[in-house]
């Protein structure tokens, strides 16, 4: 059993201690051992420790304090550029500038990211993924000088944990598994799957603090609202096109 | 150090031994411990062991023999359906049927997948990811009865390894890392990054077998050709739209 998998929590507060270069190298080496499409390694890791660049990245991530506070920010990018450049230098004609290879690049980036995260945790580091990476990808591209053929997919902030929160809950395992084929959910199955989460003290507190009737409304009216979802969807899709991942 | 990360190889030949249910449960439990957007768990794992359904899945994956041979096939799907259904049952108005949530769903599916894979390896199992999942996603949808709001992202075949191949090579770590910002590659840097791979016996054999001038041409003219890339791009993008991930 890999302990790190079962004890993982997202760390949002870090000690003011740098990550030694040899530790960071071991952690990043774990990333490139992950499975990847055709062993083409169509990803790049941009590793930012410079204070000024972290400050420039901060507004791209809705000014979450950990972007300035964590010693290391790894922006994980799908990268068809390096591979395509190599092909061209060998007289080959690469055609990876399309949606399939965007998806392949995202998958390979994320497989590598999870290896990096677990390896970091095995070194006593903590991490947090930033889902905001896709919200303002165009701004991240400017800050990090990402050229055509490169697009940010996710970000890992990393450092020695200051505050370690409790494990977060999950839906019951059977609620996300389908045996043999997909079996659609009945209303009572949905109720059952969410029962424990909805009955928790944490949920009750959230409902009170947000002054709403139930947990679902906290998601749809506060955390992930329709207008934001649509705006970010259009922005990221435009960025994908302008970075050269939609020539088909 | 997590040994499984550094000893991982894709297993393409499996023993005819089923995976005990309690082992599979532990492995899948590892999946749901991964970080995920808003702890919304917008993924589903379709776990197929039935011979007939595996046979029906086989042509969706270009008839790779391991789809029939491996005892367990896990089709990992982005799933906004379950969460949206819950929202509706609570009188909330979910708007996750757009491109942002497709990308979030892919990222969360793949983070869970890598936990599943590493946990499987820690149990003595072997795995292989099937990149073909995006090629014929529409056919997989039919075989597995995937409804609106659910799209296959990747597939893990799993079982006890029969043949364990050697570790595959990787580009030098420094070739995929960028310090602080992205630094574009010069032609000589590209040459240097690929030097060892191009000089290997494996590459020399591949070039001979394929009767081509260099390794890059094996990718562009044999393995991942432009016309296929474009066809699969259009197909997967159409599937994404028809499954309800592009209302923006």
């Amino acid at each position: 059993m890999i302990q790190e998998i079962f004890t993982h929590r997202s760390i949002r507060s870090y000690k003011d201690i740098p990550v030694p270069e040899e530790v960071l190298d071991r952690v990043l080496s774990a990333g490139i051992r992950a499975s990847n499409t055709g062993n083409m390694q169509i990803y790049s890791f941009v590793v930012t420790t410079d204070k000024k660049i972290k400050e420039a990245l901060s507004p791209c991530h809705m000014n979450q304090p950990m972007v300035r506070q964590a010693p290391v920010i790894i922006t994980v990018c799908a990268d068809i550029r390096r591979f395509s450049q190599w092909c061209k230098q060998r007289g080959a004609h690469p055609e990876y500038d399309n949606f399939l290879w965007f998806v392949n690049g995202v998958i390979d980036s994320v497989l590598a990211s999870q290896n990096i995260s677990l390896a970091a945790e095995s070194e006593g580091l903590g991490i947090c993924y930033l889902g905001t990476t896709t919200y303002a990808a165009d701004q991240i591209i400017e800050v990090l000088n990402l050229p055509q053929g490169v697009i940010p997919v996710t970000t890992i902030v990393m450092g020695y944990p200051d505050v370690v929160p409790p494990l977060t809950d999950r839906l019951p395992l059977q609620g996300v598994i389908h045996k043999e084929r997909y079996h659609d959910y009945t209303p009572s199955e949905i109720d059952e799957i969410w029962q424990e989460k909805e009955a928790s003290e944490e949920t009750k507190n959230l409902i009170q603090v947000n002054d709403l009737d139930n947990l679902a409304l906290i998601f749809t009216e506060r955390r992930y609202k329709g207008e934001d979802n649509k705006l970010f969807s259009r922005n990221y899709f435009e960025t994908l096109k302008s970075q050269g991942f939609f020539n088909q």
Side-chain angles (χ1 to χ4, degrees), chain A:
Chain A
M1 200 180 91
I2 298 170
Q3 199 202 326
E4 289 80 358
I5 288 177
F6 293 95
T7 58
H8 164 73
R9 46 268 275 170
S10 299
I11 302 298
R12 294 186 168 83
S13 181
Y14 295 91
K15 288 188 176 140
D16 188 19
I17 302 173
V19 180
E21 200 146 338
E22 66 274 18
V23 174
L24 195 53
D25 269 7
R26 280 200 296 274
V27 163
L28 294 165
S29 298
I32 64 171
R33 291 313 315 167
S35 285
N36 72 98
T37 310
N39 206 9
M40 292 157 69
Q41 295 185 250
I42 48 169
Y43 47 64
S44 272
F45 314 130
V46 185
V47 182
T48 303
T49 59
D50 182 88
K51 207 175 163 228
K52 279 192 185 155
I53 307 178
K54 286 196 283 178
E55 267 169 29
L57 281 174
S58 174
C60 309
H61 294 289
M62 301 177 110
N63 294 306
Q64 292 176 86
M66 52 190 162
V67 178
R68 289 160 190 258
Q69 202 206 12
V72 178
I73 312 292
I74 305 173
T75 307
V76 185
C77 305
D79 185 336
I80 53 163
R81 183 181 185 83
R82 182 180 56 243
F83 191 84
S84 300
Q85 209 168 320
W86 170 67
C87 288
K88 285 178 201 161
Q89 280 181 219
R90 297 296 177 267
H93 181 54
E95 290 177 275
Y96 305 112
D97 56 347
N98 40 53
F99 191 65
L100 179 76
W101 289 88
F102 164 75
V103 175
N104 288 341
V106 171
I107 292 173
D108 294 353
S109 295
V110 177
L111 291 175
S113 296
Q114 188 63 354
N115 271 11
I116 288 173
S117 298
L118 290 169
E121 289 170 344
S122 81
E123 299 271 357
L125 292 158
I127 68 105
C128 188
Y129 284 102
L130 303 183
T132 43
T133 308
T134 51
Y135 294 3
D138 52 337
Q139 292 171 43
I140 296 173
I141 285 167
E142 271 198 35
V143 172
L144 299 180
N145 295 340
L146 305 183
Q148 279 281 304
V150 184
I151 188 167
V153 172
T154 189
T155 303
I156 303 167
V157 301
M158 187 182 286
Y160 293 98
D162 190 17
V163 180
V164 178
L167 274 188
T168 49
D169 65 354
R170 291 292 185 272
L171 300 175
L173 180 62
Q174 296 310 322
V176 303
I177 293 176
H178 300 259
K179 295 211 167 146
E180 304 303 345
R181 291 193 173 94
Y182 195 97
H183 296 281
D184 211 358
Y185 300 90
T186 63
S188 67
E189 281 168 349
I190 292 284
D191 286 342
E192 206 184 309
I193 291 170
W194 262 272
Q195 187 174 34
E196 200 180 322
K197 193 190 282 265
E198 290 181 315
S200 75
E201 280 307 307
E202 197 191 337
T203 296
K204 284 176 192 161
N205 290 338
L206 276 172
I207 290 171
Q208 202 180 7
V209 169
N210 281 276
D211 194 23
L212 286 167
D213 282 346
N214 61 56
L215 183 60
L217 289 165
I218 296 175
F219 283 95
T220 58
E221 298 196 8
R222 296 283 153 83
R223 293 184 179 169
Y224 304 104
K225 290 187 285 189
E227 58 193 310
D228 295 338
N229 297 334
K230 286 177 187 182
L231 176 68
F232 298 146
S233 285
R234 288 191 300 264
N235 282 356
Y236 194 62
F237 190 64
E238 283 311 309
T239 303
L240 176 165
K241 287 198 279 186
S242 61
Q243 288 302 100
F245 284 90
F246 211 74
N247 298 309
Q248 50 212 62

